[in-house]
């Protein structure tokens, strides 16, 4: 079967204008794509496999992705090192080209599928995580990202652990395994069901709680993020929200990426979070001290998204002004509105005890001026420039304006020649006045985006390491911070997702606050794992927000794992200590693992000396690369394949979960 690049070349060669001296004219092809040349579009639409990659079906209309197509035919990558030289010699190819001369194509960029593997070193708290990646061509992606079989089901509640009968939307869920594949597996059941996605991903710094043997650079980190954000967006409800926290290493790049994935128009705000005291002792050779982080907030659809804003009892304290008209003023027409002008001495503005029928004084400045139809805007546009004609200290009565039921709005003009501001006076809005009289109305206020003066929980960042009875070291977020996001972006029984779960803070907070949760984590932190924390929460964990939530324990969650296939061998390769162990593993891979179709084992055997000449790390890298990444975990579509030996009880639970 031809791969997508071979197929595209074959299709394009059918049109003479794209061919010269037996080769394709890339510039001509790109120009035709960018100009939406009808002849090119028709050519591509004739082939189903081509159409599937480069066209999107939007309500029955096939839309051509010209940017994706351009990237496919134009990108190149060269890796001139000993590893690539060896790979070329034994025939390792991508898109029918040797990796050393490989052209990057859409869905085939470096680090497309990033996987975190590894465990805790024996006898210590340092985690030595392995970062590795694979590059896959478009016609492999559908299989890679298909739902996977789940296994090792356990339901934890106040009675301990037991095997669940089924997993429904009322169950909290923890999935262990590659979070990219877990997200796509989740899509089968939870698409458009999640209210809040909060993630605190690796910050791309050597000081993360994760330590990578191959440190992320900007492009690979963003690709890693993009892969997951694209599917995460599908999981959100229309009124859902995504929050991604980061520090200044990547937050600017992250903001641009989020604009692309979520849509720049879906950006709601950025929260600036003080995470440590300004006077905390740091290394004396630091030029700057980092005390801030940022959390970017994006809605799925702005027109239906609405946060739970801050509420407080409506106060009449500011309604403490009365205005008396001592004599009639001059009436004129200004921009279609009747305006009565009172000169100094024709009116009085008195400050009195606040009362239900009093007026509130407001400076007409800033954002109020930019709001259409307001008294502030009317003053700025039409009344300020009347100083020379009407004089100073003038009171304008603008008819047909206001929501307080008076039928007019009083606006005070400037008192000095150089002034360009004024004030306006308004009563309590008519639609809430009766409720205010009864003392039952609450006022909504904007949510502050600087999380220090408002919550004053800065110290919690330094004191949260033992929350929930687990400690994964630096990077752990306090429950108070997560409770802020949960409180203002979700309601009871909404589902909260965190696919970088870490120590389980998001899940613990969600459980204590009456929300459903789904958590994903690839790493097992042993006694400091999220599952340990959640079992503590069920028992009545007293730390974090337990006191303010009056948490006494209870609840439950279901734990499961992606069923490993080639991932078993990837784990063993990563844990190998020397070349002899890797060579022994190669003998197993030949007969028991799923090897990439790009590789012919006999070519490796004939060049075994070249393989042994590679460094130990490159030997690891090579063995990881020849594994078929589509088969890291067992696809759900192959659950009945006897080769995978999936137990009957596991099959039954999976089919109930996926409703087949």
């Amino acid at each position: 079967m031809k791969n997508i690049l071979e197929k595209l070349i074959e299709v394009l060669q059918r049109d003479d204008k794209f061919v010269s001296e037996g080769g394709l004219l890339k510039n001509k092809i790109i120009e035709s794509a960018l100009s939406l040349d009808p002849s090119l579009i028709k050519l591509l639409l004739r082939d189903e496999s081509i159409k599937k990659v480069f066209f999107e079906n939007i309500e029955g209309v096939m839309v051509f992705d010209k940017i994706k197509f351009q990237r496919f035919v134009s990108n190149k990558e060269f890796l001139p090192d000993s590893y690539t030289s060896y790979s070329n010699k034994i025939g390792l190819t991508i898109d029918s080209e040797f990796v050393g001369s490989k052209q990057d194509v859409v869905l085939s960029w470096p680090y497309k599928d990033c996987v975190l593997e590894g465990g805790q070193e024996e006898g210590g708290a340092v985690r030595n995580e392995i970062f590795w990646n694979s590059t896959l061509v478009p016609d492999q992606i559908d299989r890679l990202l298909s739902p996977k079989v789940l296994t090792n089901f356990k339901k934890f509640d106040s009675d301990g652990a037991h095997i669940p009968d089924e997993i429904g939307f009322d169950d909290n869920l923890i999935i262990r395994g590659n979070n990219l594949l877990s997200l796509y597996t989740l899509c089968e059941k939870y698409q458009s069901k999640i209210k809040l996605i909060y993630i605190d991903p690796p910050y791309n710094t050597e000081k993360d709680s994760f330590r990578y043997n191959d440190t992320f650079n900007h492009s690979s980190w963003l690709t890693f993020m993009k892969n997951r954000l694209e599917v995460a967006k599908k999981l959100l409800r229309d009124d859902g929200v995504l929050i991604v926290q980061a520090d200044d290493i990547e937050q600017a790049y992250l903001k641009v990426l989020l604009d692309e994935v979520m849509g720049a128009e879906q950006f709601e705000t950025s929260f600036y979070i003080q995470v440590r005291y300004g006077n905390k002792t740091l290394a004396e050779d630091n030029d700057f001290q980092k005390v801030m982080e940022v959390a970017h907030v994006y809605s799925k659809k702005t027109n239906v998204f609405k946060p739970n804003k801050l509420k407080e009892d409506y106060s009449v304290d500011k309604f403490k002004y009365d205005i008396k008209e001592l004599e009639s003023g001059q009436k004129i027409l200004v921009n279609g509105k009747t305006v009565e002008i009172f000169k100094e001495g024709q009116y009085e503005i008195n400050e009195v005890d606040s009362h239900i029928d009093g007026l509130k004084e407001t400076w007409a400045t800033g954002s109020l001026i930019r709001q259409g139809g307001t008294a502030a805007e009317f003053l700025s546009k039409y009344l300020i420039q009347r100083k020379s004609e009407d004089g100073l200290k003038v009171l304008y009565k603008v008819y047909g304006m206001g929501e307080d039921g008076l039928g007019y709005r009083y606006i005070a003009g400037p008192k000095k020649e150089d002034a360009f501001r004024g004030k306006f006076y308004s009563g309590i809005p008519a639609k809430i006045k009766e409720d205010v009289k009864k003392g039952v109305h609450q006022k909504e206020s904007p949510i502050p985006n600087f999380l220090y003066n408002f919550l004053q929980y800065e110290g919690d960042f330094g004191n949260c390491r033992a929350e929930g009875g687990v400690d994964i070291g630096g990077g752990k977020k306090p429950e108070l911070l997560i409770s802020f996001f949960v409180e203002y972006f979700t309601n009871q029984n909404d589902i909260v997702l965190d696919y970088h779960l870490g120590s389980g803070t998001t899940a613990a907070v969600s459980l204590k606050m009456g929300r459903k949760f789904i958590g994903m984590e690839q790493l097992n932190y042993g006694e400091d794992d999220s599952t340990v924390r959640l079992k503590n929460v069920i028992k009545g964990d007293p730390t974090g927000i337990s006191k303010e939530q009056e948490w006494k324990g209870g609840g439950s969650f279901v734990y499961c794992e992606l069923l490993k296939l080639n991932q078993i061998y990837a784990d063993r390769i990563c844990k190998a200590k020397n070349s002899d162990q890797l060579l022994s593993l190669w003998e197993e891979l030949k007969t028991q693992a799923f090897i990439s179709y790009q590789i012919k084992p006999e070519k490796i055997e004939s060049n075994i000396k070249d393989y042994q000449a590679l460094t130990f790390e490159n030997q690891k890298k090579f063995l990881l690369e020849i594994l078929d990444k589509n088969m890291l975990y067992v696809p759900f579509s192959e659950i009945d394949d006897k080769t995978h030996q999936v137990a009957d009880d596991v099959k039954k639970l999976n089919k109930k979960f996926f409703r087949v």
Side-chain angles (χ1 to χ4, degrees):
M1 179 179 177
K2 295 179 180 177
N3 65 34
I4 196 68
L5 181 58
E6 292 172 327
K7 192 68 176 177
L8 181 60
I9 291 173
E10 178 185 290
V11 168
L12 291 172
Q13 286 176 335
R14 296 172 188 168
D15 191 325
D16 291 341
K17 72 179 179 182
F18 297 138
V19 181
S20 176
E21 298 181 358
L24 288 172
L25 300 171
K26 288 188 177 181
N27 288 341
K28 182 67 175 177
I29 295 168
I30 292 172
E31 287 174 8
S32 295
L34 295 179
S35 64
L36 298 177
D37 181 352
S39 63
L40 173 64
I41 304 299
K42 290 178 182 178
L43 194 64
L44 298 177
L45 281 171
R46 288 180 191 142
D47 188 277
E48 286 300 319
S49 59
I50 298 294
K51 183 165 68 173
K52 186 176 181 181
V53 172
F54 298 114
F55 291 83
E56 186 78 20
N57 190 325
I58 301 177
E59 296 184 356
V61 177
M62 301 305 297
V63 179
F64 179 48
D65 190 336
K66 62 182 181 181
I67 302 301
K68 179 185 289 188
F69 183 84
Q70 177 192 7
R71 290 173 180 166
F72 192 102
V73 298
S74 61
N75 288 348
K76 289 185 177 181
E77 178 191 12
F78 291 88
L79 300 172
D81 54 22
S82 61
Y83 173 73
T84 302
S85 175
Y86 168 72
S87 300
N88 287 347
K89 183 179 290 188
I90 61 93
L92 181 58
T93 62
I94 296 176
D95 293 347
S96 75
E97 295 186 53
F98 292 124
V99 292
S101 59
K102 173 190 161 292
Q103 293 181 344
D104 263 347
V105 294
V106 63
L107 295 180
S108 186
W109 51 76
Y111 311 137
K112 172 60 187 176
D113 177 34
C114 300
V115 181
L116 291 171
E117 289 286 344
Q120 185 172 352
E121 292 183 349
E122 184 177 354
V126 178
R127 293 170 178 81
N128 187 22
E129 316 302 347
I130 306 299
F131 168 73
W132 59 282
N133 63 81
S134 62
T135 308
L136 301 172
V137 294
D139 49 357
Q140 295 175 310
I141 294 296
D142 285 345
R143 192 179 185 204
L144 171 76
L145 302 179
S146 64
K148 302 297 183 273
V149 174
L150 301 171
T151 190
N152 290 341
F153 293 97
K154 293 179 184 176
K155 185 168 185 175
F156 295 91
D157 54 27
S158 56
D159 294 324
H162 53 90
I163 305 300
D165 296 324
E166 61 179 323
I167 302 102
F169 289 113
D170 287 335
D171 287 302
N172 298 308
L173 188 62
I174 298 293
I175 302 177
R176 179 86 65 199
N178 179 322
N179 61 3
L180 178 63
L181 305 188
S182 295
L183 284 166
Y184 275 97
T185 297
L186 204 65
C187 247
E188 191 75 9
K189 185 181 181 76
Y190 286 89
Q191 185 162 337
S192 300
K193 295 288 195 301
I194 309 298
K195 184 62 169 68
L196 167 64
I197 298 176
Y198 168 84
I199 57 170
D200 180 32
Y203 286 0
N204 194 10
T205 168
E206 294 180 357
K207 295 181 181 180
D208 278 341
S209 58
F210 299 119
R211 292 196 332 171
Y212 300 99
N213 67 343
D214 182 6
T215 302
F216 282 141
N217 58 38
H218 289 310
S219 60
S220 57
W221 185 87
L222 288 171
T223 303
F224 171 83
M225 294 293 295
K226 182 175 183 288
N227 300 155
R228 287 145 180 83
L229 289 169
E230 286 173 334
V231 60
K233 180 181 178 181
K234 296 178 182 179
L235 291 165
L236 282 175
R237 290 170 17 181
D238 284 350
D239 63 345
V241 65
L242 167 75
I243 303 176
V244 186
Q245 188 159 338
D247 71 359
D248 58 351
I249 295 292
E250 290 290 0
Q251 74 86 12
Y253 291 85
L254 176 63
K255 174 67 171 64
V256 175
L257 174 65
L258 287 166
D259 282 349
E260 176 185 334
V261 174
M262 299 298 294
E265 71 280 3
Q266 304 307 135
F267 173 68
E268 297 293 343
T269 190
S270 291
F271 286 101
Y272 298 91
I273 305 163
Q274 187 161 344
V275 299
R276 61 179 58 88
Y277 291 113
N279 60 358
K280 181 178 179 180
T281 302
L282 296 177
E284 291 184 359
D285 58 354
N286 286 350
D287 291 325
F288 304 99
Q289 183 171 5
K290 294 184 179 182
V291 299
M292 301 293 292
E293 290 184 3
V294 64
H296 295 306
V297 180
Y298 284 78
S299 59
K300 176 74 171 288
K301 291 188 177 180
T302 300
N303 59 335
V304 293
F305 164 74
K306 184 173 175 59
N308 299 322
K309 296 169 71 173
L310 300 172
K311 292 183 179 181
E312 56 182 295
D313 291 338
Y314 200 96
S315 173
V316 299
D317 290 349
K318 293 183 179 180
F319 294 88
K320 57 183 181 179
Y321 293 92
D322 283 339
I323 295 179
K324 290 183 179 180
E325 299 175 8
L326 303 179
E327 56 184 86
S328 297
Q330 177 191 3
K331 290 186 178 180
I332 62 172
L333 198 64
V334 178
N335 193 44
K337 290 186 179 296
T338 299
V339 177
E340 190 169 0
I341 305 172
F342 296 92
K343 304 279 187 167
E344 186 177 13
Q346 293 182 310
Y347 68 93
E348 286 183 355
I349 300 177
N350 301 307
E351 185 172 348
V352 298
D353 292 337
S354 58
H355 60 100
I356 196 72
D357 294 315
L359 299 177
K360 179 175 68 172
E361 180 183 78
T362 305
W363 276 102
T365 60
S367 60
L368 292 175
I369 293 175
R370 295 188 292 272
Q371 294 179 20
T374 64
E377 183 201 37
F378 196 84
L379 171 65
S380 176
K381 282 187 174 182
Y382 309 113
L383 302 182
I384 290 293
Q385 58 267 40
R386 294 184 61 88
K387 284 187 297 185
S388 58
E389 185 174 351
D390 300 333
L392 300 175
K393 301 180 181 180
V394 171
L395 180 70
Y396 298 97
K397 185 179 183 180
V398 184
Y399 290 88
M401 178 177 286
E403 299 176 349
D404 49 19
L406 297 175
Y408 53 82
R409 177 77 78 231
Y410 284 119
I411 303 176
K415 294 183 178 181
K416 297 179 181 180
E417 283 291 348
D418 59 350
F420 56 91
R421 296 175 182 175
K423 301 175 181 178
F424 63 89
Y425 296 83
S426 57
I428 296 173
K431 63 182 179 180
I432 67 170
K433 197 166 187 177
E434 288 303 314
D435 287 339
V436 174
K437 287 180 180 179
K438 298 173 185 176
V440 296
H441 185 80
Q442 287 190 311
K443 179 183 177 182
E444 286 188 340
S445 301
I447 303 170
N449 74 337
F450 178 34
L451 304 187
Y452 170 65
N453 291 329
F454 173 56
L455 287 180
Q456 294 192 359
Y457 59 79
E458 174 191 16
D460 290 87
F461 277 86
N463 300 321
C464 72
R465 292 185 61 157
E467 282 187 354
V470 300
D471 180 8
I472 64 169
K476 184 177 178 181
K477 297 299 183 287
E479 290 191 7
L480 191 59
L481 171 64
I482 306 304
S483 70
F484 171 86
F485 295 132
V486 171
E487 175 71 23
Y488 294 108
F489 296 107
T490 70
N491 297 304
Q492 290 285 308
N493 294 315
D494 283 343
I495 303 175
V496 179
L497 168 64
D498 185 343
Y499 57 87
H500 289 282
L501 188 59
S503 66
T505 303
T506 304
V509 168
S510 298
L511 190 55
K512 292 177 182 181
M513 296 181 69
R515 275 64 167 176
K516 303 301 179 186
F517 67 80
I518 299 173
M520 298 174 182
E521 182 56 63
Q522 181 150 347
L523 305 174
N524 188 332
Y525 293 101
E527 291 303 312
D528 293 315
D529 197 57
S530 59
T531 55
V532 175
R533 180 178 192 161
L534 290 170
K535 285 188 281 186
N536 292 338
V537 173
I538 291 172
K539 294 175 183 176
D541 162 50
T543 64
I545 62 170
S546 292
K547 184 176 180 181
E548 69 178 62
Q549 293 295 323
E550 298 182 349
W551 179 253
K552 303 300 181 184
S556 64
F557 69 96
V558 174
Y559 170 90
C560 60
E561 302 171 359
L562 300 183
L563 181 56
K564 293 180 179 181
L565 201 56
N566 267 356
Q567 186 66 42
I568 295 173
Y569 295 103
D571 292 343
R572 293 176 62 191
I573 291 169
C574 290
K575 293 176 181 177
K577 301 297 184 184
N578 53 56
S579 294
D580 289 339
Q581 290 181 7
L582 290 179
L583 196 58
S584 177
L585 262 173
W586 164 239
E587 295 300 319
E588 284 190 55
L589 295 181
K590 286 191 295 184
T591 58
Q592 298 182 36
F594 288 84
I595 302 297
S596 170
Y597 70 88
Q598 303 161 349
I599 290 296
K600 293 182 178 179
E602 61 271 18
K603 284 199 171 185
I604 298 178
E605 295 296 338
S606 63
N607 292 279
I608 195 68
K609 289 184 179 179
D610 293 316
Y611 164 79
Q612 292 173 324
L614 295 174
T615 65
F616 175 58
E617 288 304 319
N618 273 340
Q619 288 177 0
K620 271 190 177 184
K621 179 180 177 182
F622 175 73
L623 292 184
L624 287 171
E625 192 160 334
I626 67 174
L627 291 174
D628 183 350
K629 304 308 183 302
N630 278 311
M631 301 303 290
L632 289 174
Y633 300 91
V634 178
F636 175 70
S637 61
E638 299 181 19
I639 194 170
D640 292 318
D641 190 327
K642 294 181 179 179
T643 304
H644 305 313
Q645 300 180 340
V646 181
D648 289 340
D649 59 337
V650 174
K651 289 182 183 179
K652 183 178 179 181
L653 270 173
N654 274 268
K655 290 178 179 180
K656 283 187 176 181
F657 181 79
F658 291 115
R659 294 289 189 268
V660 296

